[in-house]
């Protein structure tokens, strides 16, 4: 499924600034994701997604950051929302891209701004009905 989503992910990420920047996507298992979550966020268990910005540069061939995704958690999140895993995967990639652009969701106003930015990126990829379902729960 992840391989089938790669063309959509490339099209989704293409227009998100900084244009032409590389973003590394890494698919990991639950054990690895739990290790990352404990090490870098001091939280227990596997997250669906973790995003690590590399720095403010964003130019050249160097990646601007890395997005770790846990497929089992993505499947569970999709089931919880009644959507296809590929749609939840695209939502999470959009979420990670917004973090790489500097968006945070530490307070309600920032979370609303970030959600609006994610929705703009996803429009045209996912129907409005499915978009509403995707934004019905929390991602991190």
């Amino acid at each position: 499924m992840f391989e089938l989503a790669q063309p959509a992910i490339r099209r989704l990420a293409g227009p998100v600034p900084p244009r032409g920047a590389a973003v590394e996507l890494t698919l990991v298992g639950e054990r690895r994701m739990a290790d990352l979550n404990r090490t870098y966020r001091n939280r227990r268990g596997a997250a669906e997604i973790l995003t690590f910005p590399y720095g403010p540069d964003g130019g050249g061939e160097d990646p601007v950051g890395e997005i770790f995704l846990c497929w089992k958690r993505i499947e569970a999140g999709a089931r919880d929302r009644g959507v296809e895993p590929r749609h939840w995967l695209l939502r999470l990639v959009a979420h990670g891209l917004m973090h790489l652009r500097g968006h945070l969701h530490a307070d309600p106003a920032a979370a609303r701004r970030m959600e609006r930015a994610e929705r703009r990126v996803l429009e045209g990829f996912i129907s409005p009905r499915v978009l509403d379902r995707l934004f019905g729960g929390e991602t991190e």
Side-chain angles (χ1 to χ4, degrees):
M1 174 63 84
F2 189 71
E3 293 82 14
L4 296 174
Q6 286 181 357
I9 291 169
R10 283 190 184 97
R11 286 193 331 269
L12 176 82
V16 176
R19 291 179 186 233
V23 174
E24 295 181 5
L25 293 177
T26 304
L27 191 63
V28 297
E30 287 181 297
R31 181 175 292 158
R32 176 71 175 130
M33 184 61 92
D35 289 344
L36 290 167
N37 207 17
R38 183 179 58 253
T39 300
Y40 293 100
R41 296 182 67 212
N42 201 28
R43 292 191 180 173
R44 292 181 57 149
E48 293 170 307
I49 179 174
L50 290 173
T51 305
F52 297 96
Y54 291 159
D57 183 27
E61 295 290 318
D62 294 330
V64 295
E66 187 164 7
I67 299 172
F68 285 86
L69 300 157
C70 179
W71 186 252
K72 287 206 177 239
R73 301 303 316 142
I74 291 170
E75 287 179 321
R79 268 192 314 275
D80 291 347
R81 290 160 180 83
V83 298
E84 295 180 31
R86 67 186 172 97
H87 289 138
W88 187 236
L89 170 66
L90 290 175
R91 161 73 201 286
L92 292 175
V93 169
H95 186 81
L97 291 170
M98 292 305 109
H99 275 305
L100 293 178
R101 290 197 62 210
H103 285 271
L104 300 174
H105 43 79
D107 61 70
R112 284 190 300 275
R113 283 191 302 275
M114 186 169 180
E115 181 176 313
R116 282 193 304 271
E118 290 173 30
R119 282 180 175 268
R120 280 192 303 272
V121 168
L122 291 167
E123 287 173 355
F125 286 93
I126 298 173
S127 75
R129 180 185 61 78
V130 174
L131 272 177
D132 288 341
R133 295 188 84 139
L134 291 174
F135 286 91
E138 295 180 3
T139 58
E140 289 189 280

